[in-house]
Amino acid sequence: MAITSANQLELLQTAEAVAREKMIDPDLVIQAMEESLARAAKSRYGTELDIRVKIDRKTGRATFARVRTVVADEEFENHHAQLTVRQAKSYLADPQIGDEVVDEVPPVDLGRIAAQSAKQVILQKVREAERDRQFEEFKDRKGTIINGVVKREEYGNLIVDIGRGEGILRRNEKIGRESYRPNDRIRCYVKDVRRETRGPQVFLSRTDPQFMAELFKMEVPEIYDGIIEIKAVARDPGSRAKIAVISYDNSIDPVGACVGMRGSRVQAVVNELQGEKIDIIPWNADTATFLVNALQPAEVSKVVFDEEAGKIEVVVPDEQLSLAIGRRGQNVRLASQLTALDIDIMTEAEESQRRQAEFAERTKLFMDTLDIDEMMAQLLVAEGFTNLEEVAYVDQEELLSIDGFDEGTAEELQARARDFIEEQNRKAIETARELGVDDSLFNFEGLTPQMIEALAKDGIKTLEDFATCADWELAGGWTTENGQRKKDEGILEKFDVSLEEAQNLVMTARVMLGWVDPTELEAAGEEEEGTDEEAEA
């Protein structure tokens, strides 16, 4: 096929037709044609030549040109595609490095093999352009609801026609009892859009919590307008869901607006979700209040919040326990997802029993260590004293405020507490020294002898060993495995060392050893503080 045929406009017409069919820019098709013709010309004239083809966008005429680039003498390697500055003077008046010398060459006739190769290049380029267009079109639809038509089912996964492309609804992203046939209309949430070797992949979902949030946004104008905000969503797809909402207009009830007149709005969402029951809950900035709301319809007697562990204990009346937990733990599980907290539910009887056990344990501690009778020990516990350090070093006025405690009794109690602590410290130091603890660890401020003993038993015997520890190794923490929160015991956890305190101790040790520059540490701290202030603002 000769490019210089009379019908040169055929190239442009072909490019227009392909671009129209694939809905891509015609210029991309023409660029693909230029590249394929250039490749065919190189196979004719030599692969070491730099042959370029330019197709006129108006006439369709293809111009073949050989290009040689001016390079420095030391970079001259290929005399077919490069020229030195001295050689270029024959072609250019004042040649500079980087200039190009262009010579037109005769157009080539495409043989059968060359034409087939050119066709493959064009098809590949068009396919890539089509994929780019699809990705650009759908990447902005991520996080929205899309309507489609079921095309076919493959191994339980649905292939959905979503207009200018296809999406995949995996088996685990379908609501349990749903079944679809080809040509059924379907509404899905665009969970992710990814570039892959076989083209852009659009992953759909009907089980994602945000699918329900988007459905409410479509049904409730106040949510769409931003008057009501969905703060959290938790779902057990096909069975039950909880959604927390807040209104920024005091005259609008967020729960009532989401329910709608005679339940019309929430019913539309329920129908789309195949009868999934939905609890609409008012969101509250106070964690305890929000949790009480989240556990509805169960009543809550008391909430105990452990902020450091991200754990919360909820006390409910005995008869409300099964309601609070829900069938197969569904109610408490959804409340936990909604609040992002680990929730322990106990009855009033269990909580009372635990309190009594703690009271008895602390009473025995004071009786054994201070050599006092049960009544005096119970008075100390009742006043809130939990350990010997509090008794030993508290202001004496606090002890004198307890009924029946005079100055002599307070002094004697504090003296006994201090003596016991000093004896414990002495034994801890002896044990630590026997285990081979280095003086660098003894001289480090912030660690008590008992802490050093605990560290030594765990193999941490020098300041260098201590500096390599992670904060969670010392203070303990929580990890999530297979959706279950698991407790990691810390070496110093029994000494009530918080995660922040452990982090400060480790960083101080690293600064002392010269591993960390204190100025960089201060700069990082100031930057973090500024970020916190911005977040609060």
Side-chain angles (χ1 to χ4, degrees):
M1 179 184 83
I3 293 300
T4 53
S5 62
N7 192 10
Q8 291 172 338
L9 286 173
E10 188 180 340
L11 279 175
L12 297 180
Q13 291 167 354
T14 305
E16 285 284 352
V18 172
R20 201 164 39 245
E21 182 188 344
K22 301 295 184 181
M23 289 177 287
I24 58 177
D25 185 357
D27 198 52
L28 290 173
V29 182
I30 294 175
Q31 286 175 20
M33 289 177 170
E34 289 172 342
E35 191 175 318
S36 63
L37 291 172
R39 186 175 294 186
K42 280 185 180 182
S43 65
R44 166 74 174 77
Y45 290 116
T47 54
E48 66 276 6
L49 271 66
D50 183 4
I51 303 289
R52 300 179 193 175
V53 178
K54 186 72 177 172
I55 296 175
D56 191 295
R57 300 310 194 252
K58 292 181 179 177
T59 65
R61 180 176 181 274
T63 306
F64 289 70
R66 174 194 180 186
V67 180
R68 287 176 289 176
T69 306
V70 180
V71 297
D73 290 353
E74 62 272 13
E75 293 177 7
F76 183 74
E77 293 176 355
N78 180 3
H79 69 275
H80 293 288
Q82 293 176 333
L83 290 169
T84 63
V85 175
R86 185 170 51 80
Q87 291 170 339
K89 286 181 179 176
S90 304
Y91 305 94
L92 302 172
D94 183 23
Q96 302 293 324
I97 292 172
D99 287 351
E100 292 179 340
V101 175
V102 180
D103 300 317
E104 193 168 335
V105 294
V108 297
D109 290 341
L110 292 183
R112 186 177 61 81
I113 295 173
Q116 190 67 24
S117 174
K119 182 182 177 183
Q120 289 298 324
V121 172
I122 293 170
L123 287 174
Q124 180 64 25
K125 284 286 182 182
V126 168
R127 205 174 290 124
E128 287 173 8
E130 190 179 8
R131 287 173 177 174
D132 287 342
R133 177 200 52 78
Q134 283 185 355
F135 180 77
E136 290 299 321
E137 181 177 343
F138 287 110
K139 73 172 184 179
D140 296 330
R141 310 260 333 241
K142 183 179 174 181
T144 63
I145 287 178
I146 199 167
N147 292 310
V149 176
V150 176
K151 288 185 76 172
R152 63 188 182 278
E153 186 171 354
E154 295 178 355
Y155 308 106
N157 304 324
L158 290 183
I159 307 302
V160 182
D161 183 349
I162 49 177
R164 295 183 180 179
E166 290 181 349
I168 181 168
L169 180 66
R170 295 187 187 278
R171 186 178 0 188
N172 61 334
E173 295 290 349
K174 290 193 290 185
I175 297 172
R177 50 182 174 270
E178 284 184 325
S179 63
Y180 291 93
R181 295 179 178 179
N183 298 320
D184 282 353
R185 296 198 63 79
I186 190 170
R187 186 184 283 182
C188 300
Y189 177 75
V190 182
K191 191 171 184 179
D192 198 10
V193 181
R194 281 184 244 154
R195 284 186 189 271
E196 292 191 2
T197 49
R198 53 186 176 174
Q201 293 292 300
V202 181
F203 295 95
L204 307 174
S205 175
R206 285 178 57 80
T207 60
D208 194 283
Q210 289 306 311
F211 178 50
M212 188 173 75
E214 289 296 315
L215 287 173
F216 268 105
K217 191 181 288 185
M218 293 170 69
E219 295 294 335
V220 184
E222 290 86 348
I223 296 176
Y224 184 82
D225 294 336
I227 300 168
I228 294 174
E229 184 186 352
I230 298 171
K231 299 291 282 187
V233 184
R235 284 183 70 192
D236 193 350
S239 177
R240 195 176 195 89
K242 289 179 185 284
I243 181 167
V245 291
I246 185 173
S247 173
Y248 295 111
D249 186 337
N250 294 332
S251 63
I252 294 176
D253 171 29
V255 176
C258 291
V259 171
M261 188 72 71
R262 296 181 183 175
S264 58
R265 290 174 175 177
V266 73
Q267 194 57 47
V269 178
V270 168
N271 292 340
E272 180 63 46
L273 299 177
Q274 305 295 319
E276 194 170 307
K277 295 180 178 66
I278 301 172
D279 296 335
I280 303 171
I281 295 157
W283 186 84
N284 197 295
D286 179 60
T287 306
T289 307
F290 179 37
L291 182 61
V292 170
N293 294 340
L295 281 169
Q296 290 175 1
E299 296 175 9
V300 176
S301 305
K302 189 166 76 172
V303 173
V304 181
F305 185 35
D306 183 350
E307 193 168 358
E308 187 179 322
K311 191 174 180 180
I312 204 157
E313 288 180 352
V314 177
V315 182
V316 297
D318 293 20
E319 68 277 4
Q320 293 280 314
L321 181 63
S322 59
L323 192 60
I325 294 172
R327 189 179 60 180
R328 297 176 186 171
Q330 187 183 62
N331 194 54
V332 69
R333 186 171 66 251
L334 290 174
S336 182
Q337 290 174 19
L338 201 68
T339 57
L341 292 166
D342 194 22
I343 301 170
D344 280 346
I345 292 185
M346 61 177 67
T347 62
E348 290 175 343
E350 288 171 339
E351 201 248 348
S352 174
Q353 190 177 354
R354 193 192 65 177
R355 273 207 320 264
Q356 288 172 7
E358 285 179 358
F359 191 88
E361 186 183 337
R362 288 171 185 167
T363 300
K364 189 175 185 305
L365 170 71
F366 290 139
M367 288 171 66
D368 293 346
T369 56
L370 299 177
D371 191 22
I372 56 177
D373 60 24
E374 187 177 7
M375 184 177 290
M376 189 175 284
Q378 286 177 349
L379 283 171
L380 286 171
V381 177
E383 287 296 321
F385 289 95
T386 59
N387 56 54
L388 282 180
E389 283 77 8
E390 289 179 2
V391 177
Y393 302 112
V394 77
D395 190 274
Q396 202 176 92
E397 292 299 320
E398 289 196 33
L399 289 172
L400 292 174
S401 65
I402 302 173
D403 286 343
F405 279 47
D406 56 24
E407 196 169 325
T409 305
E411 285 177 0
E412 179 62 24
L413 278 177
Q414 288 195 312
R416 289 183 188 182
R418 285 170 187 155
D419 288 344
F420 187 86
I421 291 168
E422 285 169 10
E423 178 61 21
Q424 292 294 100
N425 287 347
R426 186 186 64 75
K427 288 180 181 177
I429 291 169
E430 281 181 10
T431 306
R433 291 218 181 270
E434 286 170 9
L435 291 169
V437 173
D438 190 73
D439 284 342
S440 60
L441 204 56
F442 278 114
N443 297 332
F444 181 65
E445 193 175 341
L447 295 177
T448 65
Q450 285 93 342
M451 289 180 184
I452 294 171
E453 181 187 13
L455 290 167
K457 286 178 179 176
D458 210 77
I460 299 163
K461 301 177 182 178
T462 66
L463 192 60
E464 285 82 355
D465 293 341
F466 183 74
T468 59
C469 292
D471 48 11
W472 60 267
E473 286 181 280
L474 300 175
W478 294 84
T479 53
T480 303
E481 288 183 10
N482 301 323
Q484 297 292 321
R485 283 172 64 80
K486 182 183 172 186
K487 184 75 176 75
D488 293 321
E489 295 295 334
I491 304 168
L492 304 181
E493 190 170 352
K494 62 183 178 182
F495 303 105
D496 293 330
V497 174
S498 69
L499 206 61
E500 189 178 354
E501 288 169 341
Q503 190 176 38
N504 290 337
L505 286 170
V506 170
M507 292 310 293
T508 303
R510 291 173 184 175
V511 169
M512 287 175 66
L513 291 167
W515 295 0
V516 176
D517 186 349
T519 55
E520 290 179 8
L521 205 60
E522 286 172 15
E526 286 172 8
E527 188 177 328
E528 190 175 330
E529 195 176 319
T531 307
D532 291 344
E533 286 175 3
E534 283 176 21
E536 285 175 16

